[in-house]
Every structure is written in C-alpha cells, then in structure tokens.
Amino acid sequence: MKINFKMVCFLSIAIFTMGCAVPQSNDNNTFNSTLWLQTASEYKANAIQAYNSAAHNIRQAITDQSWTAALEQGPNYSSLPPAIILDVDETVLNNSQYQAQLMMDGAAFDPETWNQWMAMASAPALPGAVNFINSVSAMGVEVFYITNRECKPRSEAGPPCPQETDTIDNLLEVGIKEVKPENVLLRREKPEWSSEKKSRREEVASRYRILMLFGDDLGDFLPDVKKNITPMQRDDLVNEYKDNWGVKWFVFSNPIYGSWMGILSDPKSSYLKGY
Ligand SMILES: [Mg+2]
C-alpha cells in the first residue's frame, strides 16, 4: 500500500488528535522517527556498525602517536595520554522513551519533563556502546563524555548540577564499569560552556590525545555548525573531512532532533525537493 501525505495526516490526527497542515519540525512529525528508534533492527545494526568500526581501529589509534581525531588538538600532542570523547544522548543512551511518552501525552518537549526523565536514569544504552567503552577503558584510554544536558539546580538549596549525578547513574546502570565525574562535561557546568562543544573539546585536548569522537550531531565533531549555516555548507564540511568518518569520527542516526533541523528556517517544508 502506498502511503501518501494525506494518509499520514489522517493517521496523525487519528492517533494523536493533533492537526496536520504542512510538515514542520513539531512533535507531530516525530512519530515515524521515534518508532524507528524503538523498533527498527536497522537502527541497532547502525549503532553496532559504528562501535565495531571504532573497536577495529582503536589499537592503531593508540599505537600511532600522530593520530588525533580532534580539530582542537594543539601542537605537541603526541606524548599526551590517549582519550576518546563521546556525546551522551542518542550516542551512548537512547532517550526514545522520553520522546514516545511526550507523544502519548500529547505534550511537547519541556525542560521540566526532560529533567524528570534524566532523574529516572533509566535510558537504555545504544547497542555496542557498553562493551566498546568498557574494553577501551581496560586498554588505558580515558573516556570523556561531553553532553548538552544542562546543569541546573532543581531547588535553591539543591546541588548545582544534579543532572551530572543522574547521567553518571544512568551510564553505570547500563553497565559501564567506571564513569569519572570529572570526565563528564555538561553544558553550563562552567559558565563559558555553551551548547557549542568546541571549548570543552579544547579543554580535553589540552591534556589528552583525542583518538576518536562519537556523536549524533555534527556539532559533536566540528565547531560552528549549529547555527547560521546552510545544509549545503554542512554537507561540504562532511565531505571535507570524509576520511575521518568511520575511522576517527563515528556518527549515530538521530531523525528526531538535532542541529540538522535547528539550522533549517521556517517553513521547513520549503526544503523538500520533488522531481
Ligand atoms: Mg546527542
């Protein structure tokens, strides 16, 4: 059966009693994406493929002292101890349950419900992530997490960054053997740490030789790609660094959210190209 746009609208209305005018980046349109993250074997295979490729290259990355994955790596890095940097959400942890719950509740993203979900520390891991992280750790490689989960006290007298504890709890819960608090770098943990991850990569790169980067967003690899940039300019960057993908840089699929969508101006339907 051929599914056309009218049918998608009808199904959306039937299931969520939400309107459906033109395709936008609102929560109406995350149905298929969320379903894919929760049910598609192809998604799992994609994650395993990325972590397997990384495992295949890790020994060479450790041995070859000229090897670095970070554009922020300064000079004289070859004698620095080795490290990898991973994003958290949709890279190590799968938050599709949060997204699914939003749809079931007819709700939109909200920092409060997102905080509740983080505090549950119950997101499952992406397939392949835990084994890879534990084995790399056992090889003496330092593991860093640079996440845009935001540090924000939940009460006036509360700790300054309960989200860090939640994230560590969740990472341990899925089976990662060790997570050092000082290696988990959250947004606004320092005032100058914005959602642009460049400054946090610089900080890690000043002390470690960065072997590999893992993320679901172009911003997990490159600076200045999250605003004031066109899809074509981003494509050019992906192509410029084509030798890094699958070797030093490992990207995970995230059709639900990300700077890929954030950089599109409204109406987003104007980006659709027919024949
Ligand atoms: Mg992410």
Side-chain angles (χ1 to χ4, degrees):
M1 180 173 65
K2 219 175 167 185
I3 296 181
N4 60 31
F5 180 62
K6 270 185 191 166
M7 287 172 67
V8 172
C9 284
F10 174 77
L11 286 170
S12 298
I13 292 165
I15 296 167
F16 301 112
T17 57
M18 287 177 179
C20 193
V22 287
Q24 301 276 330
S25 66
N26 57 28
D27 291 316
N28 274 356
N29 295 308
T30 57
F31 179 72
N32 282 359
S33 307
T34 306
L35 205 57
W36 188 72
L37 258 74
Q38 295 204 323
T39 67
S41 306
E42 290 83 350
Y43 169 62
K44 298 177 178 81
N46 188 250
I48 291 169
Q49 175 175 270
Y51 281 114
N52 273 352
S53 305
H56 184 76
N57 291 328
I58 194 71
R59 285 188 191 282
Q60 192 193 345
I62 295 170
T63 314
D64 176 358
Q65 293 204 309
S66 68
W67 180 296
T68 177
L71 303 182
E72 294 82 6
Q73 193 88 65
N76 309 320
Y77 63 87
S78 63
S79 57
L80 297 175
I84 60 167
I85 298 176
L86 304 114
D87 167 50
V88 174
D89 295 315
E90 279 45 80
T91 297
V92 180
L93 299 178
N94 174 339
N95 297 287
S96 61
Q97 280 171 266
Y98 172 72
Q99 201 67 41
Q101 193 63 50
L102 284 183
M103 283 194 291
M104 290 156 83
D105 295 342
F109 176 86
D110 183 280
E112 200 178 317
T113 54
W114 172 243
N115 256 281
Q116 288 164 4
W117 165 249
M118 275 191 289
M120 290 167 71
S122 58
L126 268 78
V130 175
N131 278 351
F132 174 74
I133 291 168
N134 285 339
S135 71
V136 162
S137 240
M139 291 176 191
V141 175
E142 203 69 17
V143 178
F144 284 86
Y145 301 90
I146 296 184
T147 172
N148 278 338
R149 291 182 168 204
E150 187 177 13
C151 282
K152 229 176 194 175
R154 292 188 178 126
S155 63
E156 269 187 38
C161 192
Q163 295 80 10
E164 180 163 49
T165 314
D166 298 340
T167 304
I168 293 169
D169 287 350
N170 202 151
L171 293 170
L172 294 172
E173 178 64 33
V174 296
I176 296 171
K177 286 185 183 145
E178 186 189 25
V179 183
K180 297 178 184 171
E182 66 271 26
N183 287 7
V184 183
L185 284 56
L186 287 86
R187 176 157 60 112
R188 300 289 172 211
E189 193 175 344
K190 290 184 180 177
E192 66 272 25
W193 288 353
S194 65
S195 68
E196 168 62 62
K197 293 184 171 180
K198 182 186 179 199
S199 58
R200 284 177 277 173
R201 281 195 298 270
E202 278 171 348
E203 175 144 330
V204 179
S206 69
R207 295 180 287 131
Y208 291 89
R209 179 165 64 91
I210 310 302
L211 307 182
M212 293 176 173
L213 300 173
F214 300 80
D216 66 304
D217 193 292
L218 204 54
D220 294 322
F221 308 92
L222 288 157
D224 307 321
V225 292
K226 297 178 75 158
K227 55 186 174 187
N228 306 321
I229 190 168
T230 65
M232 217 188 290
Q233 287 168 321
R234 285 162 55 98
D235 287 351
D236 287 345
L237 284 167
V238 165
N239 195 44
E240 184 181 336
Y241 293 101
K242 63 180 187 297
D243 294 341
N244 284 1
W245 301 111
V247 180
K248 298 175 175 177
W249 293 359
F250 302 89
V251 66
F252 301 87
S253 301
N254 182 358
I256 298 184
Y257 66 90
S259 63
W260 69 269
M261 193 187 290
I263 59 127
L264 303 179
S265 51
D266 288 319
K268 295 184 181 18
S269 54
S270 67
Y271 290 90
L272 292 177
K273 284 183 196 141
Y275 55 83

